[in-house]
Amino acid sequence: MTGKEKNEVFDSLPTCVADFIKLVIKKMRYRKKVRLDVQAELAAHFEDELRDCKTDEEKEQKAQQLIAEFGDVKLLAVLLRRAKKRCRPLWRTIVARTFQTVGVLILCLIIYTVWFLTGKPVITTNYVAELNRIARPASDDKLNAAPFYNKAAESVEKLPNDIKELLQKKYNEVTPEQKQLMEKWLTDNSEVFELVIAGTQKPYYWQKYEAENNEVISVLWPYLADFRNLAYALRWRAQLRAEQGRYEDAFGDIKSCYRFGQHIKGDVTFLIDQLVGMAIERLAVQSLRDVLSEHGISSAALAKLQQDFEQMIAGEDFTVSLNFERLTIYDEIQRCFTEDRFGDGHLYIPRLTALSSIGMGTGGIGAGDDESFMLKLYLITLDEIKAGLRVFFTHPNKQQTMISVNEFYDYLEKLALKTPAQMRAEEIDVEKETMQFIKGNLFLETFTPSLYKVIELSYRIQIDVEATLTIIAILRYRKNIGGYPKDLDKLIVASYLKELPMDPFSDKPLVYKRTDDNFILYSVGPNFKDDGGQKGRVKKCTDEGDWVFWPVLKND
């Protein structure tokens, strides 16, 4: 309908009627075509009613009466709009309702997204201070070995390249000239090793942890690599002294090395400290076996050595401690989840993105080591779309994540008390069971490490130590009795050994066999199979073959 046609509709009607109809149409606020139809219908209605009027005055009076009968203009417009909506086709109603619903959902999504992205974490606990409180077992700093070790580490922090290369080599792999070079360096730096030895005589060891912004993941371990070099140097000095026949001094260095490792491993330390400490302990007992295999030690010296080692390991807990790892996750929960105006906290994307992009994934089940979290959200694949939707709508909140973390670490602590043989007998699927705690939680998939191998390693260190003590007892027996014992029970009966060394991979004593002029002592290893003392080597930590502790192989 053109503008001219619109005006023609009202030509035969009084001005008050035209104004009334126009106002009604305006108040309808509906589609243009429908409004024009209603306008034509109202005009036709008034024309029919006014047709019988003779004069303009009579038309005006009749029109006013009809307008009054229609009542409120706004209400009339609403009723007309509703009537037209009821009369429209079903498909048009469905389309309209669909668009309305989509519009409402989009609006809600925008509001929710703004709310989601504006949430901020609130730091309530200084976990670095908590770590320092827990790590310190005594109030007297004079009882702490750490200052001695740290000062010694500073002295070897920048080792000459030739010395650094020699430290990593085994004693039987170097030339006489290299031995002389190492002996000179050890002599020139004897005060460094006196610091280490002085530290091993202290009853406690604790470091003061410092971190940027009090973030536990920013805690630095500046000396761990240097600690390992110090341990290598002690091993070297012990073997040089043994070659010179200074067995007491050699054993003193080996015992100091082991005590050094015990301190670093500690009872309340980070997992990385424990791994370095266990590595140093293992280096000490391996070096001891090397010396025992190369030199004929008197029975009296062996007896004292065994007694000293038994005293050192008395009460030692070889179980891995995860307390600091748990507190690390606690700290990240308060940084990676928001403190909402309502609800229990949702993921704080910027923090998780930053950590994922710098490789904070720890090898946990389901962790994405090669792709950052935000990249996962942007890749247009079904899995990434699901991940994005999970983050925004279904991801466990702060409280639920905290519960899962505690369940995860409680499970690992219970698992650490079981030997590998027990886990195998009970058919425990570690990966499957840990997935129950972290599945569907991107935070836990990023931050929970796969710790089964670490737990297994703790048993390796324990059996390494116990096997070495058994070897000392066997060598003592041979020197005193005149031959190797028929079985390990003979050592118990003759009071050379307090208890049998149990193999955690069989829950039976280590395998001991006499040979023509020697003996063999080994563990069946993580393949849980007795391979007759073949293949696997303790140092390699492979999952194939047996772990042979004696005889010591030159290329092991």
mmCIF file of all heavy atoms in Angstrom, residues 54-72:
data_model
loop_
_atom_site.group_PDB
_atom_site.id
_atom_site.type_symbol
_atom_site.label_atom_id
_atom_site.label_comp_id
_atom_site.label_asym_id
_atom_site.label_seq_id
_atom_site.Cartn_x
_atom_site.Cartn_y
_atom_site.Cartn_z
ATOM 1 N N LYS A 54 -26.483 11.106 7.736
ATOM 2 C CA LYS A 54 -26.846 12.032 6.664
ATOM 3 C C LYS A 54 -25.924 13.236 6.607
ATOM 4 O O LYS A 54 -25.638 13.748 5.526
ATOM 5 C CB LYS A 54 -28.290 12.500 6.870
ATOM 6 C CG LYS A 54 -29.309 11.349 6.938
ATOM 7 C CD LYS A 54 -29.303 10.538 5.665
ATOM 8 C CE LYS A 54 -30.381 9.432 5.723
ATOM 9 N NZ LYS A 54 -30.373 8.600 4.512
ATOM 10 N N THR A 55 -25.538 13.709 7.740
ATOM 11 C CA THR A 55 -24.739 14.939 7.752
ATOM 12 C C THR A 55 -23.358 14.665 8.364
ATOM 13 O O THR A 55 -23.149 13.673 9.056
ATOM 14 C CB THR A 55 -25.449 16.022 8.574
ATOM 15 O OG1 THR A 55 -25.535 15.572 9.944
ATOM 16 C CG2 THR A 55 -26.861 16.285 8.032
ATOM 17 N N ASP A 56 -22.446 15.608 8.161
ATOM 18 C CA ASP A 56 -21.098 15.488 8.739
ATOM 19 C C ASP A 56 -21.144 15.556 10.257
ATOM 20 O O ASP A 56 -20.374 14.885 10.944
ATOM 21 C CB ASP A 56 -20.195 16.612 8.215
ATOM 22 C CG ASP A 56 -19.871 16.437 6.739
ATOM 23 O OD1 ASP A 56 -20.023 15.286 6.244
ATOM 24 O OD2 ASP A 56 -19.453 17.411 6.095
ATOM 25 N N GLU A 57 -22.094 16.378 10.759
ATOM 26 C CA GLU A 57 -22.215 16.497 12.221
ATOM 27 C C GLU A 57 -22.668 15.182 12.824
ATOM 28 O O GLU A 57 -22.162 14.735 13.862
ATOM 29 C CB GLU A 57 -23.225 17.604 12.556
ATOM 30 C CG GLU A 57 -23.346 17.831 14.064
ATOM 31 C CD GLU A 57 -24.339 18.953 14.368
ATOM 32 O OE1 GLU A 57 -24.792 19.630 13.429
ATOM 33 O OE2 GLU A 57 -24.629 19.106 15.566
ATOM 34 N N GLU A 58 -23.616 14.550 12.137
ATOM 35 C CA GLU A 58 -24.097 13.252 12.622
ATOM 36 C C GLU A 58 -22.974 12.211 12.553
ATOM 37 O O GLU A 58 -22.824 11.379 13.452
ATOM 38 C CB GLU A 58 -25.293 12.809 11.772
ATOM 39 C CG GLU A 58 -25.962 11.547 12.318
ATOM 40 C CD GLU A 58 -27.168 11.143 11.461
ATOM 41 O OE1 GLU A 58 -27.560 11.906 10.555
ATOM 42 O OE2 GLU A 58 -27.664 10.021 11.713
ATOM 43 N N LYS A 59 -22.160 12.244 11.476
ATOM 44 C CA LYS A 59 -21.015 11.330 11.354
ATOM 45 C C LYS A 59 -20.015 11.538 12.499
ATOM 46 O O LYS A 59 -19.476 10.590 13.070
ATOM 47 C CB LYS A 59 -20.290 11.541 10.018
ATOM 48 C CG LYS A 59 -20.956 10.879 8.847
ATOM 49 C CD LYS A 59 -20.081 11.052 7.603
ATOM 50 C CE LYS A 59 -20.697 10.324 6.410
ATOM 51 N NZ LYS A 59 -19.822 10.428 5.225
ATOM 52 N N GLU A 60 -19.778 12.816 12.809
ATOM 53 C CA GLU A 60 -18.806 13.127 13.865
ATOM 54 C C GLU A 60 -19.274 12.583 15.208
ATOM 55 O O GLU A 60 -18.481 11.989 15.965
ATOM 56 C CB GLU A 60 -18.626 14.651 13.944
ATOM 57 C CG GLU A 60 -17.534 15.107 14.915
ATOM 58 C CD GLU A 60 -16.145 14.785 14.427
ATOM 59 O OE1 GLU A 60 -15.931 14.629 13.198
ATOM 60 O OE2 GLU A 60 -15.226 14.651 15.282
ATOM 61 N N GLN A 61 -20.577 12.782 15.515
ATOM 62 C CA GLN A 61 -21.113 12.298 16.786
ATOM 63 C C GLN A 61 -21.077 10.766 16.857
ATOM 64 O O GLN A 61 -20.695 10.175 17.878
ATOM 65 C CB GLN A 61 -22.560 12.781 16.961
ATOM 66 C CG GLN A 61 -22.662 14.287 17.185
ATOM 67 C CD GLN A 61 -24.107 14.741 17.302
ATOM 68 O OE1 GLN A 61 -25.045 13.953 17.068
ATOM 69 N NE2 GLN A 61 -24.307 16.016 17.629
ATOM 70 N N LYS A 62 -21.453 10.115 15.748
ATOM 71 C CA LYS A 62 -21.452 8.656 15.695
ATOM 72 C C LYS A 62 -20.028 8.110 15.836
ATOM 73 O O LYS A 62 -19.780 7.106 16.536
ATOM 74 C CB LYS A 62 -22.066 8.190 14.371
ATOM 75 C CG LYS A 62 -22.123 6.673 14.191
ATOM 76 C CD LYS A 62 -23.108 6.026 15.118
ATOM 77 C CE LYS A 62 -23.273 4.561 14.809
ATOM 78 N NZ LYS A 62 -24.174 3.869 15.738
ATOM 79 N N ALA A 63 -19.069 8.773 15.181
ATOM 80 C CA ALA A 63 -17.673 8.350 15.237
ATOM 81 C C ALA A 63 -17.121 8.436 16.663
ATOM 82 O O ALA A 63 -16.436 7.535 17.145
ATOM 83 C CB ALA A 63 -16.821 9.189 14.287
ATOM 84 N N GLN A 64 -17.456 9.550 17.365
ATOM 85 C CA GLN A 64 -17.013 9.721 18.739
ATOM 86 C C GLN A 64 -17.575 8.619 19.631
ATOM 87 O O GLN A 64 -16.891 8.098 20.518
ATOM 88 C CB GLN A 64 -17.435 11.103 19.269
ATOM 89 C CG GLN A 64 -16.704 12.274 18.623
ATOM 90 C CD GLN A 64 -15.238 12.356 19.007
ATOM 91 O OE1 GLN A 64 -14.793 11.658 19.920
ATOM 92 N NE2 GLN A 64 -14.487 13.175 18.291
ATOM 93 N N GLN A 65 -18.838 8.259 19.371
ATOM 94 C CA GLN A 65 -19.484 7.203 20.157
ATOM 95 C C GLN A 65 -18.775 5.855 19.928
ATOM 96 O O GLN A 65 -18.529 5.095 20.860
ATOM 97 C CB GLN A 65 -20.961 7.104 19.773
ATOM 98 C CG GLN A 65 -21.708 6.044 20.565
ATOM 99 C CD GLN A 65 -23.168 5.928 20.130
ATOM 100 O OE1 GLN A 65 -23.676 6.744 19.331
ATOM 101 N NE2 GLN A 65 -23.852 4.927 20.645
ATOM 102 N N LEU A 66 -18.449 5.557 18.634
ATOM 103 C CA LEU A 66 -17.763 4.299 18.319
ATOM 104 C C LEU A 66 -16.363 4.239 18.938
ATOM 105 O O LEU A 66 -15.922 3.205 19.456
ATOM 106 C CB LEU A 66 -17.657 4.123 16.802
ATOM 107 C CG LEU A 66 -18.988 3.884 16.062
ATOM 108 C CD1 LEU A 66 -18.778 3.940 14.559
ATOM 109 C CD2 LEU A 66 -19.579 2.535 16.475
ATOM 110 N N ILE A 67 -15.684 5.367 18.875
ATOM 111 C CA ILE A 67 -14.325 5.415 19.469
ATOM 112 C C ILE A 67 -14.388 5.167 20.966
ATOM 113 O O ILE A 67 -13.565 4.429 21.530
ATOM 114 C CB ILE A 67 -13.670 6.776 19.166
ATOM 115 C CG1 ILE A 67 -13.355 6.896 17.667
ATOM 116 C CG2 ILE A 67 -12.387 6.956 19.993
ATOM 117 C CD1 ILE A 67 -12.870 8.263 17.233
ATOM 118 N N ALA A 68 -15.383 5.749 21.615
ATOM 119 C CA ALA A 68 -15.546 5.537 23.056
ATOM 120 C C ALA A 68 -15.857 4.082 23.370
ATOM 121 O O ALA A 68 -15.373 3.532 24.377
ATOM 122 C CB ALA A 68 -16.651 6.450 23.585
ATOM 123 N N GLU A 69 -16.636 3.429 22.491
ATOM 124 C CA GLU A 69 -16.965 2.028 22.723
ATOM 125 C C GLU A 69 -15.733 1.115 22.591
ATOM 126 O O GLU A 69 -15.648 0.073 23.240
ATOM 127 C CB GLU A 69 -18.051 1.585 21.731
ATOM 128 C CG GLU A 69 -19.412 2.210 21.999
ATOM 129 C CD GLU A 69 -20.427 1.834 20.955
ATOM 130 O OE1 GLU A 69 -20.029 1.171 19.966
ATOM 131 O OE2 GLU A 69 -21.604 2.212 21.105
ATOM 132 N N PHE A 70 -14.775 1.515 21.746
ATOM 133 C CA PHE A 70 -13.561 0.727 21.608
ATOM 134 C C PHE A 70 -12.716 0.744 22.888
ATOM 135 O O PHE A 70 -11.973 -0.188 23.181
ATOM 136 C CB PHE A 70 -12.710 1.248 20.432
ATOM 137 C CG PHE A 70 -13.090 0.628 19.123
ATOM 138 C CD1 PHE A 70 -13.639 1.392 18.102
ATOM 139 C CD2 PHE A 70 -12.884 -0.721 18.896
ATOM 140 C CE1 PHE A 70 -13.992 0.823 16.879
ATOM 141 C CE2 PHE A 70 -13.228 -1.295 17.675
ATOM 142 C CZ PHE A 70 -13.787 -0.533 16.663
ATOM 143 N N GLY A 71 -12.816 1.772 23.658
ATOM 144 C CA GLY A 71 -12.103 1.857 24.926
ATOM 145 C C GLY A 71 -10.663 2.317 24.760
ATOM 146 O O GLY A 71 -10.332 3.037 23.800
ATOM 147 N N ASP A 72 -9.799 1.866 25.704
ATOM 148 C CA ASP A 72 -8.399 2.298 25.760
ATOM 149 C C ASP A 72 -7.653 1.901 24.482
ATOM 150 O O ASP A 72 -7.708 0.758 24.041
ATOM 151 C CB ASP A 72 -7.701 1.665 26.965
ATOM 152 C CG ASP A 72 -6.279 2.146 27.102
ATOM 153 O OD1 ASP A 72 -6.050 3.328 27.413
ATOM 154 O OD2 ASP A 72 -5.355 1.316 26.869
#
